[in-house]
Amino acid sequence: MNNLETSTSLSVHFEKLDAALTQYQAYWNFVPFQCSDFPWDNPELTEYLQTLAEQTELEHDEVCQQIAQRFFPELADALEQVDFVHNQLVDDWQKPVPFWLLNGIHGRKITQVQQLSAQIKPKYPLLEWCAGKGHLGRLLSFQHDVAVTSVEWQQGLCEQGTNLAKTYDIKQDFIHADVLKQRAVWLKPQQHVVALHACGDLHVTLLKQAVEAQVEYMHVAPCCYHLIGDEVYPALSQQGKQSSLHIAKSILKLAVQAQVTAGQRVANLRQTEVLWRLAYQLIRADITGDASYQSLPSVKKSWFTGEFVDFVTWGAEHQGFTLPADLDFADYLQRAAIKQKFTQQLEYVRHAFQRALELWLVLDKALFLEQSGYQVEVNYFCPYQTTPRNMMIVAKL
Ligand SMILES: C[S@@+](CC[C@H](N)C(=O)[O-])C[C@H]1O[C@@H](n2cnc3c(N)ncnc32)[C@H](O)[C@@H]1O
């Protein structure tokens, strides 16, 4: 590999991030909704947050950066050194591919798939993990004339992928399987495994089983680190296991909370969601007398284009209490707006730690592979604007 980092390098970077995240834990390792006061004793930071309302010209990311530089020098220092993540963007990713090959791939996914595939030069047959409709596998097979096996849990996606492969005469088969339940007997030493945006336990399972099977090459772009069965993040590497950080599943979400690709509409919906969830908590606390935070499950964003009263009715049914007829919804929304401003201030500070936490999680996996005998790099496979989940682990046995 061209840009191979020495093992010490990945390890040193992990230790730096680990030290900064540990030192400043009070500033990110908490759930904002559960706070009624700032969870730190730092008057200067609190005062800064209160002046933020006046600096309306600042973007969310700029505020987070300012906070890191001004209040958390060790964090800023650890983040500045992440140039160890190689920028692997290749110039020829836009090499024309027949338009029909990209049929059915939406929006930014096209760029992700094209850029990632441009960086993979497979020497062996490919195995595509958690493939969806197998877009990446299809493109790779076409470009390199190589056989691809795509593993996917949703039968419908397997069928659609199989049809696309047949239509375009691509050497791609699908295996319909639940990779969390079935042992991956398809993993073999002389193989190149690719995984684009395999969530939480899906990529962790892949890495563990690929190591056992001694798969020779891997390109893995992880995402959704919080989608795990364990309540606390189970570190994979020696360094991760030795860390004093205990990161609850609810906190892991922070690692994927960057919103550069969200757009204004999604950002507005997110604002409404936060407001409604806060107002709902106030209502629930008043009616049940229980002020402890009880989260409601995630729901489709389309809920938040509807009516607040419907959301509250659903929440009350879900959590088993009855709503009185004379509830003043507008008053609760007003009170929630005050709490929302406070939550936003907490989020600015927490989000200053987002990239550091994500890197910590990626490096834990990279170090695990290194300790299992692989040569490992961490690269960006596409620009951050295309997807904030733009890191990939490249490993070679
Ligand atoms: C975020 S999508 C990524 C899909 C594709 N790689 C892409 O980038 O377009 C994750 C995929 O994992 C699949 N999946 C979820 N759980 C799975 C499981 N237990 N076994 C196999 N696939 C699973 C989902 O159905 C989904 O297609």
Side-chain angles (χ1 to χ4, degrees):
M1 272 187 265
N2 298 336
N3 289 316
L4 192 68
E5 283 292 320
T6 61
S7 57
T8 19
S9 167
L10 289 180
S11 185
V12 164
H13 288 297
F14 180 86
E15 296 297 348
K16 279 204 169 134
L17 288 162
D18 188 62
L21 286 167
T22 305
Q23 177 184 355
Y24 296 128
Q25 255 189 101
Y27 296 91
W28 63 270
N29 204 349
F30 62 88
V31 177
F33 277 177
Q34 291 174 353
C35 296
S36 49
D37 202 353
F38 291 110
W40 53 72
D41 180 18
N42 188 336
E44 215 186 310
L45 173 61
T46 308
E47 198 179 308
Y48 168 86
L49 291 170
Q50 267 139 17
T51 63
L52 270 178
E54 293 142 33
Q55 304 184 45
T56 45
E57 75 285 359
L58 288 179
E59 295 283 338
H60 184 93
D61 278 3
E62 289 173 320
V63 175
C64 297
Q65 240 170 33
Q66 232 181 48
I67 289 175
Q69 277 156 6
R70 201 161 146 188
F71 298 98
F72 309 117
E74 282 83 359
L75 170 72
D77 185 44
L79 282 175
E80 258 168 36
Q81 295 177 24
V82 296
D83 53 1
F84 74 93
V85 181
H86 303 296
N87 205 325
Q88 280 298 72
L89 308 188
V90 285
D91 296 330
D92 67 346
W93 71 272
Q94 296 194 39
K95 202 166 58 184
V97 287
F99 72 93
W100 44 263
L101 197 63
L102 303 174
N103 271 351
I105 315 182
H106 298 295
R108 290 195 182 89
K109 193 51 97 181
I110 295 187
T111 320
Q112 291 169 32
V113 164
Q114 281 189 282
Q115 295 211 346
L116 182 47
S117 85
Q119 295 169 40
I120 300 175
K121 309 276 176 266
K123 201 171 138 198
Y124 294 124
L126 288 158
L127 185 107
E128 187 184 16
W129 193 257
C130 300
K133 293 183 204 165
H135 296 316
L136 176 64
R138 198 162 56 256
L139 189 57
L140 280 166
S141 176
F142 175 84
Q143 286 183 319
H144 302 282
D145 193 27
V146 64
V148 180
T149 303
S150 299
V151 184
E152 168 56 46
W153 167 60
Q154 293 187 54
Q155 174 119 36
L157 297 182
C158 291
E159 283 162 10
Q160 290 177 56
T162 305
N163 289 339
L164 284 166
K166 264 193 201 142
T167 308
Y168 302 127
D169 200 17
I170 305 285
K171 288 189 265 179
Q172 182 180 32
D173 295 316
F174 278 77
I175 296 179
H176 174 218
D178 179 343
V179 298
L180 299 180
K181 296 212 174 116
Q182 251 166 286
R183 263 212 84 66
V185 288
W186 333 281
L187 292 170
K188 301 193 178 78
Q190 295 200 331
Q191 198 170 49
H192 194 137
V193 166
V194 294
L196 173 57
H197 293 160
C199 312
D201 277 342
L202 301 176
H203 66 253
V204 171
T205 304
L206 167 62
L207 298 181
K208 285 183 179 165
Q209 296 194 7
V211 166
E212 276 174 39
Q214 294 285 282
V215 169
E216 237 175 88
Y217 291 95
M218 288 185 236
H219 277 75
V220 178
C223 77
C224 298
Y225 305 90
H226 55 290
L227 296 181
I228 56 172
D230 291 286
E231 283 309 310
V232 174
Y233 177 72
L236 297 181
S237 66
Q238 282 157 17
Q239 289 89 334
K241 285 180 184 156
Q242 280 158 11
S243 166
S244 61
L245 285 177
H246 294 280
I247 312 173
K249 186 154 61 171
S250 51
I251 303 294
L252 286 172
K253 250 190 183 170
L254 171 63
V256 294
Q257 273 173 352
Q259 292 215 346
V260 285
T261 60
Q264 199 51 46
R265 188 179 159 275
V266 176
N268 290 344
L269 280 179
R270 173 75 192 136
Q271 288 295 314
T272 307
E273 174 169 4
V274 173
L275 180 70
W276 285 14
R277 284 183 184 272
L278 287 167
Y280 170 81
Q281 289 299 329
L282 294 173
I283 292 172
R284 193 188 140 276
D286 278 358
I287 294 172
T288 63
D290 172 11
S292 69
Y293 175 76
Q294 304 285 330
S295 71
L296 281 171
S298 300
V299 287
K300 283 189 184 151
K301 294 285 169 250
S302 54
W303 265 97
F304 304 103
T305 54
E307 295 296 326
F308 176 55
V309 60
D310 296 333
F311 178 73
V312 176
T313 308
W314 165 76
E317 269 167 24
H318 184 82
Q319 296 193 324
F321 64 92
T322 311
L323 294 172
D326 58 346
L327 216 50
D328 186 347
F329 290 101
D331 179 58
Y332 279 105
L333 283 170
Q334 231 168 37
R335 283 163 52 195
I338 296 167
K339 177 113 184 158
Q340 184 175 24
K341 190 173 163 215
F342 171 67
T343 307
Q344 172 77 70
Q345 292 172 337
L346 295 176
E347 293 289 21
Y348 277 135
V349 178
R350 287 187 86 230
H351 286 180
F353 293 86
Q354 180 274 325
R355 202 60 166 170
L357 179 59
E358 185 175 8
L359 276 162
W360 187 96
L361 291 163
V362 170
L363 283 178
D364 176 48
K365 276 128 198 158
L367 286 168
F368 163 72
L369 290 177
E370 209 168 62
Q371 281 146 25
S372 308
Y374 285 80
Q375 295 178 306
V376 186
E377 304 177 356
V378 178
N379 296 332
Y380 293 121
F381 69 91
C382 68
Y384 188 74
Q385 298 303 324
T386 304
T387 168
R389 301 286 78 68
N390 63 345
M391 276 190 262
M392 105 186 135
I393 300 168
V394 184
K396 178 187 174 317
L397 200 54

